Amino acid sequence: MTDTKTTTRQVNVTSKTSVTVLFAGDSGDGMQLTGTQFANTVAVYGSDLNTFPNFPSEIRAPAGTISGVSGFQMQFGSTAVYTPGAKFDVLIAMNAAALKSNIDKLHHGGIIITDTDGFDAKNLKLSGYGEGNSPLEDGSLQDYTLFEIPVVSLTRAALADTGLSVKNIDRCKNMFILGILYWLYSLPIDTTVKTLQTKFKNKADIAEANIKAVQAGYNFGDETDMFAQFGRFEVGPAAMKKGTYRRVTGNEAAAIGLAAASKKAGLKLFLGSYPITPATEILQALANMKKWGVKTFQAEDEIAGVLSSIGASYGGALAATSTSGPGLALKSEALGLAVIMELPLVVMNVQRGGPSTGLPTKPEQSDLFIAMYGRHGDAPMPVIAAYSPVDCFYAAYEAAKIAVEHMTPVICLTDGYLAFSSEPMLIPSPDSLLEVKPVFAKPRNEGDDPYLPYKRNQLGVREWAVPGTKGLEHRVGGLEKANETGNVSHDPLNHQLMTDLRMEKVARIADCIPLQTIDNGAEKGDLLVLGWGSTYGAIKIAVDRALKAGHSVAHAHLRYLNPFPKNLGEILRNYKKVLIPENNCGQLLLMIRDQFLIEPVAFNKVEGLPFNEMEIEAKITDIVKEL
Amino acid sequence: MTDTLTTLTAKDFTSNQEPKWCAGCGDHAVLQQLKSAMADLNLKTEEVVVVSGIGCSSRLPYYVATYGVHGIHGRALPVASGLKAARPELNVWVATGDGDALSIGGNHYIHTIRRNPDLNVILLNNEIYGLTKGQYSPTSKIGQRTVTSPNGLIDYPINTIALTLGAGGTFVARVTDRDGKFMREIFKRGARHRGTSLIEIYQNCPIFNDNAFSAFTDRERKADTTLYVEHGQPLVFGKESDKGIRLDGFKPVVVNLNDASVSKNDLWIHDEGDFNKANILSRFFDNPNASEDFPPRPFGIFYVEDRFTYEDALTAQVEKAQENGEGTLEALLAGNSTWTIK
Ligand SMILES: Cc1ncc(C[n+]2csc(CCOP(=O)(O)OP(=O)(O)O)c2C)c(N)n1
Ligand code: SF4
């Protein structure tokens, strides 16, 4: 890969194994686009990466204020990257507020690239530094490498001859910064050039201006003494598996996973849903998949969302509903109906901080209990969880497989962290995906045995009888039904039997799912770190470091939360202690203690932020010291 | 949909489950007419799905030998909407009560009506909660004493027809459980209408709200208290068919046809396609205890509109997206922007 413009000066190039960058600016500054561009370039170059956007929680927060800061964080590396990084090496601050709200997470000695035009009197005032108190001038940044660049002015100069309005020119300032970053990390600008050409296909002048700005930024890096003296960096490609990749966020991956499962099963996908942060993109992505026969129904509320899906499922579609905590609460009654009707249904629940509206844009893992127990009556439902953005694809896919093959609603848990994070996904070949096999009841003719809607196979699973099929006319509903015939029954012993059968059916899914494996570390030892969901990356790195430090630790990560894999008890007993880090107050811990009668060590964090590897590493060190 | 060779009868639509409704309950008559209508429509049992919520009336699907879903309270319409969207070729009916459709399911009601999926909705309005034993419902009358309104009801009732018109209904009709053959004809008209057909049925609950509609069903009083509307016909009522309704601007007035100065030609001619007139008709309601002369309660089809159905529009979008063939699994997995690591 060659640079579009080769450097004219001899500058030092330092090799790095991984770098974390935060692009921060006002929500109008285009930081998401800038970050995404940088991520795409890095991905095409072959480094591994993980990104995480940080939107302001208010849609129209006042420009220049702390609450208006929008950030895009990413880590990229020549080794496997599991998280968007805990602290940054580089902070791009387009204004004073962006600097103020993020400086505490910049590594000591890290690089700050600022747009000095975002540090005028007004910005200083709005950010809370106060007029005349510029952090760029008061020496408070002396522990960092500070690049002060008048980005707006330079962009205006570079684009002066484009004939565009000042307003349109100023919109290109983010591309100028992006150009500088490409130079700094020895990356080519051509991926971005191509994207800009497609994105502004019908606005050639805008495309050209943006491209000019990237190039100008790049040249600025190249020609400016301050950068030349500082040098450039290089992050090599990672040892990624060979193959074709795309970049996906967790929500995109979940949508693709559902659609892929429907294709593989030969079913049509139906999604009944209602918009809610951070799950909305699943509905949006599927609304764009009509080419694959996907039908989406934006219902009047979450209740109608799930019930329309139950109707579609009764009609023989692969039905799903997507939501987050408050919506899951509303769906609770309907999920009981799906349980007793024994119809397949996938519930994608993208967790956020609760209770109530809580922290809508912040991730948490606190819906495990509502997923497990949040229904009236004895209403067991399988629960599975995704551990990474890409894994949202596989988890959603598997949720659909379990739902269809076991005729049951399934809850698939992800969270706001996975939903918005992105990473490269090795595109699987269709053949490599597990089969999804629905079992439909066959048409009957006169003289055949009567159809028994609640007759089961050896796994306790009933057949799917789809309207339109001759001879299978039957009525199902929420009232308890007599075994096999499905007729309404209030018989006490029948209710006991049916309750037991529904419980057993879900329990026996354990016969069909893979055994639990150890992700990292030895099969026996002092400490097992047991995680589920989005804590994967942080635990992975922490355990890796603890192993390198010579500790006897291991990491196991749960995909199946109900039922647990059959060998989980055995695994847990192979370690002196079990540590369970969770972004909740100990929900998995209670389930583990309840089922295996062991006393794990809790590590809980509900700050609306994911764990970082340092926290977990420190906890591990504390525990092993005492063993 | 028609199959002249094996035409079914009402008996073929009768399931093996014995209706559990009280003797004398209006639901029995509705069930009978519904099964007859299905037979008349030449439907096949396997292509029909009857969906309901919870309530006495919502037990109806169990008694029809078709496919059926007895859902949860208030939610029949979303279940039916999802089913119809996924399987537009099915013939979907909804049985619901006044509490089911208009109280707990009120939100779904409004939104289903406006989306106009091709559903045949039978709303059995008994102005009471039957299944839970006699609490007032959103259609109960002001002043009515029930177990939860011992001092008389202060909760102003819903005007079902006006609400449905307001929500954008495309087929809006009312009958009583005593209407027999007329009810069956309206069921058939509703079933043939493409879009959501709302048929409100005044249904007597002899146990908890007996005679709620006797003003409109009593042989003696009926002629003067009811107005059976028919497309293209003048609005005439009264024992001797001697009363008519004329529009004075937007104001309906009763005229005596025996009066020499009144001509039948001056009467309001019912037009199913006239939304404004349907709205005026729907307001023949606000005096809940219709007095002898005015306003009589209208029955029949208030309004019909030809509008696209939700599932047709959705199917069209899917077909458009698949103009050049359905997407493959490979293309789905690959997306639009990829790169290759060699
Ligand atoms: C969520 C929920 N709330 C309350 C009930 C209790 N409930 C069952 S039926 C009903 C009212 C039924 O009235 P209506 O819909 O008018 O039907 P009817 O029985 O009169 O035919 C109520 C309150 C329930 N089943 N579910
Ligand atoms: S309680 Fe009323 S509505 Fe219910 S079955 Fe008896 S008569 Fe019919």
Side-chain angles (χ1 to χ4, degrees), chain A residues 43-44 46 241-247 256 259-260 263 268 270 289-293 295-301 303-304 307-308 311-312 314-315 333-334 337 341 393 424 427-428 430 433 466-470 472-479 487-488, chain B residues 15-17 45-47 49 59 61-62 64-73 75 78-79 81-83 85-88 90 107-108 111-112 115 310 314-315 317-318 321-322 324-335 337-342:
Chain A
V44 171
K241 258 179 127 171
K242 278 184 195 150
T244 303
Y245 286 79
R246 67 189 290 182
R247 205 160 62 83
I256 303 163
K263 278 269 164 196
K268 294 283 184 232
F270 178 95
M289 290 189 194
K290 296 196 173 67
K291 192 169 171 50
W292 288 272
K295 287 179 177 172
T296 53
F297 179 77
Q298 182 178 315
E300 53 273 26
D301 58 24
I303 301 176
L307 281 146
S308 62
Y314 182 71
E333 186 195 10
L337 179 68
M341 295 208 335
F393 170 85
I427 297 170
L433 297 176
V466 174
T469 320
K470 214 173 158 217
L472 304 184
E473 293 87 340
H474 67 288
R475 278 65 59 193
V476 288
L479 281 170
N487 290 330
V488 175
Chain B
S15 83
N16 61 0
Q17 302 294 298
T45 51
E46 71 263 25
E47 71 188 356
V49 188
R59 293 291 177 95
Y62 288 115
V64 188
T66 61
Y67 284 87
V69 179
H70 179 222
I72 47 181
H73 195 29
R75 323 292 177 198
V79 172
S81 299
L83 174 63
R87 297 283 311 277
L90 296 171
N107 194 32
H108 307 314
H111 294 282
T112 306
R115 284 189 200 105
Y310 182 85
L314 181 59
T315 306
Q317 288 188 342
V318 171
Q322 297 184 341
N324 303 315
E326 192 172 335
T328 62
L329 181 51
E330 279 92 339
L332 171 75
L333 295 169
S337 167
T338 62
W339 70 94
T340 302
I341 306 263
K342 298 198 180 90

